[in-house]
Amino acid sequence: MALPLAGIRVLDIASMLAGPYGATMLGDMGADVIKIEPPYGDESRAIGPKVENDSGFFVGINRNKRGIVLDLTKPEGKELYFRLVRTAYIIVDNLRPQAKAKLGISYEETCKYNPKIVCISVSAFGQDGPYGGRPGIDPLAQALSGFMSVTGDKDQKPLKAGPAIADATCANLVAFAAMVGLWTREQQGIGQQIEVCLVDGLIHVQPSQVGQFFLKNYVQPRVGNASPFYAPYGTFTCRDGRDIQIASFNNKFFHNICRAIEREDLTTDPRFTTGEDRLVCEAELNAEIQAAFAKKDSDEMMRRLIAEDVMAAPVNSYEQTFADPQVQHNQMAVEVNHARVGKIKVGGIPVKLKKTPGVVRLAPPVLGQHTREVLQELGISDADMEKLRQQGVVK
């Protein structure tokens, strides 16, 4: 069967993470995503370890796309861009409003060439308002949204999450916005501009914290790997030095833990009778559990925990994550043929459609890899293409 978004063309003129990764999710489901880069390439190509101008950062974000180079500062480049706009359903960008106005590719200008286009604009704080047009990246959103204030260890400074959680969350919103925009286009025959931003996305993924704040003016404290509401809940170190995260939110799971670590006496200890008791005496309880963990290697401890139906998982490195049998079963690492590097692995597709599943078809493109192919589809002759190349319009 055809892929779910087969026939939908998406123009990705965004850079870095949130916009491009949202476009990738559309490509995973069969959309023809054309990544348009300036001659120097997406900014993310220069970040972190790389092979020539293909960084791991870029490769991790941009599967399932065809890549072209267009210089939109040149009239000829902009003319080619608007020819592509006429063929597209969706545009994803993260340019600031003033940059789009300067280039002449604002939503209003774009609608002249395709009135039904769905334009999804990504920003840090919003396209307008008091902070509209300000530059921003992931950790600023973590700070402004309150996310950072509830993250970290007790009595320590707030911490940002290790991965770019604001960007990744916003990428999901880009994909969601695209689906809503396409449905509205289909049902009502209209295109529209849709805005998503990093700050809104991070507020959106804190529903329990926000609900507690609005209902009772309660602010969740920083508790590291623990919970402010349940115990035992945290990270414990085994004899071989590996850590395991466990969680327990009721008596059933607490009793399961006690059986797994061969300490059923803890279930009748008056200090740990109820959930409230266990929170009050959390330090003493954690000490008892840690002592039991220290007597077993992690593999044996995980077997015991699983056998007793305990909520538990090892704290993995990336190497251990992608060797994990469940991760492999879920196909969250997929091999592709990269034009420069050869066979490499990229992330898999997290949404599993049973009848029309997505597929990783294309490796992340090298800079300008598909320029000739895409321009030929627009009817550009080889002679004209060479002229554009000499003028620096394409690459």
Side-chain angles (χ1 to χ4, degrees):
M1 299 181 74
L3 291 170
L5 297 181
I8 301 297
R9 173 165 284 181
V10 179
L11 304 184
D12 170 12
I13 60 170
S15 64
M16 297 296 280
L17 205 164
Y21 204 35
T24 289
M25 295 171 70
L26 304 179
D28 290 344
M29 293 300 159
D32 176 23
V33 182
I34 299 176
K35 182 167 185 62
I36 300 173
E37 299 181 69
Y40 54 81
D42 186 314
E43 298 280 359
S44 68
R45 287 186 181 273
I47 296 176
K50 55 183 177 292
V51 176
E52 296 186 30
N53 65 357
D54 292 299
S55 72
F57 192 113
F58 179 89
V59 166
I61 295 165
N62 288 286
R63 64 179 179 264
N64 277 337
K65 298 178 183 179
R66 296 193 289 169
I68 73 171
V69 167
L70 281 183
D71 188 344
L72 299 184
T73 67
K74 297 180 184 296
E76 298 86 351
K78 193 160 64 173
E79 191 272 332
L80 289 172
Y81 170 71
F82 281 128
R83 287 179 67 170
L84 282 170
V85 165
R86 290 190 181 97
T87 72
Y89 285 70
I90 298 167
I91 299 171
V92 179
D93 80 82
N94 66 345
L95 296 168
R96 288 191 270 174
Q98 55 268 43
K100 284 185 282 190
K102 184 177 180 180
L103 287 171
I105 59 170
S106 66
Y107 173 70
E108 292 73 21
E109 281 293 321
T110 302
C111 284
K112 295 176 183 178
Y113 298 87
N114 186 343
K116 295 174 66 175
I117 197 74
V118 176
C119 289
I120 304 171
S121 297
V122 180
S123 64
F125 309 111
Q127 294 288 309
D128 48 27
Y131 303 161
R134 275 175 50 178
I137 57 173
D138 186 282
L140 305 188
Q142 292 194 41
L144 189 64
S145 67
F147 187 97
M148 194 183 294
S149 73
V150 296
T151 305
D153 290 323
K154 183 180 179 181
D155 301 325
Q156 299 293 319
K157 285 186 175 182
L159 287 177
K160 72 174 184 66
I165 185 67
D167 279 314
T169 297
C170 200
N172 292 333
L173 297 181
V174 168
F176 173 72
M179 295 300 96
V180 175
L182 283 175
W183 181 250
T184 305
R185 187 182 193 270
E186 175 69 19
Q187 293 297 301
Q188 302 181 33
I190 60 171
Q192 61 187 302
Q193 187 174 27
I194 304 176
E195 297 179 7
V196 296
C197 73
L198 306 188
V199 168
D200 292 359
L202 277 194
I203 293 173
H204 168 73
V205 298
Q206 299 179 81
S208 56
Q209 288 81 5
V210 170
Q212 292 164 168
F213 174 71
F214 285 146
L215 182 67
K216 294 288 292 182
N217 201 33
Y218 172 83
V219 178
Q220 183 172 307
R222 292 190 292 278
V223 291
N225 294 338
S227 165
F229 307 120
Y230 317 119
Y233 191 119
T235 307
F236 298 89
T237 304
C238 296
R239 183 170 59 190
D240 57 6
R242 285 200 68 187
D243 292 325
I244 293 176
Q245 179 77 20
I246 64 172
S248 168
F249 58 82
N250 60 24
N251 284 340
K252 169 192 168 181
F253 286 108
F254 172 58
H255 292 178
N256 291 353
I257 290 169
C258 294
R259 285 196 301 273
I261 65 175
E262 300 176 313
R263 288 296 309 276
E264 289 186 80
D265 59 296
L266 296 177
T267 64
T268 57
D269 190 316
R271 296 174 296 171
F272 312 134
T273 303
T274 68
E276 292 77 9
D277 294 334
R278 292 192 288 274
L279 267 180
V280 170
C281 300
E282 184 176 19
E284 298 97 308
L285 178 57
N286 284 350
E288 299 282 6
I289 295 173
Q290 178 54 61
F293 269 64
K295 296 176 182 178
K296 307 289 185 185
D297 287 342
S298 56
D299 285 347
E300 181 183 354
M301 182 55 76
M302 277 302 304
R303 284 195 296 271
R304 288 175 172 272
L305 295 169
I306 292 168
E308 295 296 343
D309 197 32
V310 174
M311 291 186 286
V315 179
N316 283 341
S317 65
Y318 287 129
E319 181 178 6
Q320 292 162 336
T321 293
F322 291 108
D324 186 275
Q326 185 64 48
V327 174
Q328 292 181 347
H329 172 81
N330 292 351
Q331 298 181 307
M332 288 309 294
V334 181
E335 191 170 80
V336 293
N337 285 308
H338 187 271
R340 175 173 287 125
V341 183
K343 287 186 178 181
I344 60 169
K345 288 184 177 179
V346 296
I349 300 173
V351 179
K352 320 291 189 187
L353 280 71
K354 294 302 183 180
K355 292 186 178 179
T356 57
V359 62
V360 179
R361 314 177 314 281
L362 301 172
V366 299
L367 185 60
Q369 179 178 343
H370 302 98
T371 301
R372 179 175 296 277
E373 178 182 303
V374 172
L375 293 187
Q376 284 175 338
E377 292 172 4
L378 289 179
I380 305 299
S381 69
D382 287 346
D384 286 341
M385 212 175 305
E386 176 59 22
K387 183 178 179 181
L388 291 167
R389 188 192 67 80
Q390 291 177 0
Q391 294 172 335
V393 175
V394 302
K395 184 175 182 179

